[in-house]
């Protein structure tokens, strides 16, 4: 299979750049990772505001600082180093790879899955003192929150953030909370501890904060302190049901699309889902809008999934009348409505696996995952709805060079790029994560590649 990296590289040199194989959403992606890492921004997915814990020992503080020796290493040399380090570490190391990682990284992962499965996967390897998370920052933070205290979580490139997660920061959410407290008449400082709902059965709070897993640890802690909960794309509906049992309405952040698509499928009218723009008073709403609201949607989105359109679905149906279209719920509502199915990364994986041989499936999610599914199911025709090669550019920042460098560090007894969530933040974030685990326990699927 031609990897996404190879296709991007060939697009940079191709003179006719208008077919599926030769166009990319961002020509910077054709450069080696450390070259575009050094740019202040490089298009969609740049994650300049992603917080790096100040006390992280031995951290590479900014992108673009992979030691030169590793930048110059050949693929073969990097491969040899990674394999040797894995062997030397044995059971003391587990490498986790998100479905959106490039193939050159997935090849070394002990476990591949979605963000929730990977956070759990870490718990299934109690002997592992090092959890190397090949994904993005919020995923590694979540693994650190759920891991034992003596386990160390490593993110090979600290610049692998998530532009959507960056769209909701603690200060803006706290400010929104204070405005909502005034409208709904509650004390914004009131803490709702882990056992509060059990001690107050039947009492409904005016608003329950719900954060998507794609958010920083401080926002998960905010939810933990205020009677809120975390959700993933695979359990958003169950989590919203949990929230409606305990509150009059929900403040959902950062992804407006996941919130809207999920609430709409539950029958909440669009008129009761105002958008909260953090740069406007009352989020750009009137008090009457907020009084009627059932779900207040934060003004956030995924730059990768926002690219999918109904025109692409129309084109896929015109070219392949028997095509089935499956998309991620981070896509805009008209796209989800026009698709045959919508669901999490894991649902998409199962949708493809369960389809009959000979099926044609168009997928609206990250291209590395789509291409891998196509390679794994040669008996089916599988393609990405978006004709432009557009990987998640922050996931793409995890390159074998960074993996080799962090693994070599482990062998030498050095924790390079360790993610360490502040213990107080972790305690509160764990409350919100544990509410989710209790409301929506998920079987651990995914697996070794
Ligand atoms: P999952 O939670 O399905 O892994 O998705 C994470 C993500 O970033 C999707 O864009
Ligand atoms: Fe974030 Fe979108 Fe990338 Fe997922 S695909 S990590 S939501 S930028």
């Amino acid at each position: 299979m031609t990897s996404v990296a190879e296709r991007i590289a060939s697009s940079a040199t191709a003179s006719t750049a208008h077919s599926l194989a030769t166009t990319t959403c961002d020509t910077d992606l054709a450069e080696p990772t450390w070259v575009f890492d050094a740019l202040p921004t490089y298009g969609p997915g740049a994650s300049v505001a992603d917080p790096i814990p100040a006390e992280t020992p031995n951290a590479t503080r900014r992108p673009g600082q992979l030691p030169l020796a590793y930048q110059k290493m050949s693929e073969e040399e990097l491969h040899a180093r990674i394999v040797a380090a894995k062997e030397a570490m044995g059971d003391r190391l587990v490498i986790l790879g998100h479905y959106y990682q490039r193939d050159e990284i997935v090849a070394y992962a002990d476990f591949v899955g979605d963000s929730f499965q990977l956070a759990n996967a870490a718990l299934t390897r109690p002997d592992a003192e090092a959890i190397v998370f090949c994904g993005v920052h919020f995923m590694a933070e979540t693994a650190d929150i759920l891991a034992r205290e003596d386990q160390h979580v490593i993110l090979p490139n600290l610049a692998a953030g998530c532009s959507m997660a960056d769209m909701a920061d603690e200060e803006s959410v706290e400010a929104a909370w204070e405005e909502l407290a005034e409208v709904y008449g509650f004390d914004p400082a009131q803490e709702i501890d882990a056992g509060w709902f059990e001690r107050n059965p039947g009492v409904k709070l005016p608003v329950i904060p719900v954060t998507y897993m794609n958010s920083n640890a401080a926002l998960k802690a905010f939810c933990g302190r205020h009677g809120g909960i975390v959700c993933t794309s695979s359990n958003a509906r169950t989590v919203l049901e949990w929230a409606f049992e305990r509150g009059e309405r929900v403040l959902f952040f950062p992804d407006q699309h996941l919130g809207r698509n999920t609430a709409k499928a539950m029958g909440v009218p669009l008129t009761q889902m105002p958008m909260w723009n953090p740069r406007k008073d009352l989020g750009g709403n009137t008090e009457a809008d907020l009084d009627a609201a059932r779900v207040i949607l934060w003004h956030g989105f995924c730059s990768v999934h926002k690219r999918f359109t109904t025109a692409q679905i129309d084109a896929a149906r015109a070219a392949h009348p028997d095509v089935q279209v499956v998309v991620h719920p981070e896509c805009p509502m008209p796209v989800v409505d026009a698709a045959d199915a919508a669901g999490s990364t894991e649902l998409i994986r199962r949708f493809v696996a369960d389809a009959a041989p000979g099926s044609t499936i168009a997928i609206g999610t990250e291209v590395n995952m789509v291409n891998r599914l196509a390679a794994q199911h040669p008996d089916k025709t599988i393609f990405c709805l978006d004709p432009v090669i557009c990987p998640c550019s922050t996931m793409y920042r995890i390159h074998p060079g960074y993996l080799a460098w962090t693994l070599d560090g482990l062998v030498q007894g050095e924790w390079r790029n360790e993610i360490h969530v502040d213990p107080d933040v972790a305690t509160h974030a764990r409350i919100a994560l544990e509410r989710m685990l209790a409301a929506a326990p998920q079987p651990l699927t995914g697996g070794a590649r």
Side-chain angles (χ1 to χ4, degrees):
M1 179 180 57
T2 313
S3 74
V4 170
E6 283 165 341
R7 286 171 57 199
I8 289 171
S10 71
S11 77
T13 50
S15 51
T16 51
H18 294 290
S19 73
L20 183 136
T22 56
T23 44
T24 166
C25 62
D26 184 344
T27 48
D28 281 341
L29 291 171
E31 299 290 345
T33 305
W34 30 89
V35 174
F36 69 84
D37 271 357
L39 303 174
T41 61
Y42 57 93
S47 194
V48 287
D50 202 31
I52 295 172
E55 72 279 14
T56 302
N58 303 320
T60 295
R61 298 294 312 163
R62 289 282 7 126
Q65 292 182 1
L66 183 69
L68 197 56
Y70 285 83
Q71 296 184 25
K72 289 180 174 172
M73 278 178 201
S74 66
E75 271 175 42
E76 293 70 27
E77 203 174 338
L78 291 174
H79 173 74
R81 278 176 180 269
I82 293 169
V83 170
K86 281 189 71 162
E87 226 172 271
M89 291 296 292
D91 286 347
R92 292 183 296 139
L93 164 70
V94 60
I95 300 180
L96 307 178
H98 190 269
Y99 284 132
Y100 294 173
Q101 288 287 298
R102 34 166 114 202
D103 287 340
E104 305 92 292
I105 291 293
V106 165
Y108 303 111
D110 298 303
F111 198 96
V112 183
D114 66 18
S115 58
F116 183 75
Q117 292 166 341
L118 293 178
N120 273 291
L123 306 180
T124 66
R125 296 289 297 271
D127 292 339
E129 63 195 58
I131 298 165
V132 174
F133 209 122
C134 298
V136 290
H137 196 275
F138 72 82
M139 298 178 184
E141 275 189 337
T142 304
D144 185 54
I145 292 164
L146 294 176
R148 280 197 329 259
E149 215 159 281
D150 58 331
Q151 291 181 303
H152 301 260
V153 177
I154 306 285
L155 180 63
N157 183 350
L158 289 177
C162 165
S163 55
M164 177 209 281
D166 290 347
M167 288 175 193
D169 61 278
E170 199 184 1
E171 193 187 345
S172 315
V173 172
E174 291 276 6
W177 193 247
E178 288 188 11
E179 285 191 81
L180 291 174
E182 231 169 85
V183 174
Y184 299 131
F186 65 89
D187 173 7
Q190 188 191 357
E191 294 224 355
I192 306 291
D193 64 41
W196 193 93
F197 291 115
E198 285 68 32
R199 294 197 307 278
N200 296 276
V203 178
K204 280 196 169 188
L205 297 172
V207 54
I208 301 271
V210 177
T211 189
Y212 189 21
M213 187 74 111
N214 299 32
S215 58
N216 68 39
L219 290 183
K220 293 184 177 80
F222 173 91
C223 289
R225 281 198 307 275
H226 295 291
I229 185 167
V230 179
C231 76
T232 69
S233 52
S234 53
N235 61 25
R237 184 181 180 124
T238 310
V239 165
L240 280 192
E241 282 163 0
W242 180 96
F244 285 139
E245 277 166 25
R246 291 159 180 80
E248 302 295 341
R249 55 185 71 73
V250 160
L251 171 63
F252 191 97
F253 46 86
D255 186 23
Q256 57 170 293
H257 299 298
L258 177 64
R260 185 180 295 112
N261 288 322
T262 309
K264 183 171 179 245
M266 293 168 71
V268 178
L270 294 177
T271 49
Q272 293 180 3
M273 293 189 229
M275 181 102 81
W276 187 277
N277 182 337
R279 278 171 290 280
K280 294 186 176 170
D281 288 344
L282 290 184
N285 301 290
T286 63
E287 288 207 16
D289 295 333
L290 294 173
D291 269 341
R294 292 282 283 150
V295 182
I296 303 164
L297 299 167
W298 197 262
H299 192 285
F301 56 84
C302 166
S303 48
V304 175
H305 290 92
K306 199 179 76 148
R307 291 177 53 84
F308 294 105
T309 62
T310 53
Q312 292 165 354
I313 296 182
D314 293 343
R317 294 203 195 282
H320 307 273
D322 61 340
V323 72
Q324 298 176 73
V325 178
V326 57
V327 302
H328 195 279
E330 287 175 15
C331 294
M333 183 183 74
V335 173
V336 169
D337 288 349
D340 298 298
S344 65
T345 356
E346 176 60 17
L347 178 140
I348 293 171
R349 191 188 67 79
R350 282 203 310 265
F351 185 95
V352 171
D354 294 348
S359 302
T360 302
I361 304 170
I363 304 181
T365 197
E366 211 270 354
V367 66
N368 276 294
M369 175 167 167
V370 178
N371 285 356
R372 195 168 308 117
L373 286 172
Q376 286 166 349
H377 299 276
D379 58 331
K380 300 167 194 174
T381 303
I382 292 162
F383 59 94
C384 186
L385 268 179
D386 189 349
V388 172
I389 307 163
C390 195
C392 169
S393 53
T394 42
M395 286 276 182
Y396 199 69
R397 286 185 158 194
I398 308 289
H399 177 279
Y402 289 98
L403 183 60
W405 176 64
T406 46
L407 292 186
D408 279 352
L410 294 180
V411 174
Q412 292 157 25
E414 249 186 67
W415 306 111
R416 293 177 179 155
N417 289 5
E418 184 175 1
I419 297 295
H420 181 62
V421 177
D422 173 87
D424 183 52
V425 172
T427 299
H428 288 100
R430 206 174 294 116
I431 293 172
L433 283 163
E434 281 170 358
R435 285 185 182 130
M436 173 183 80
L437 294 172
Q442 276 188 337
L444 190 64
T445 50
R449 292 189 283 285

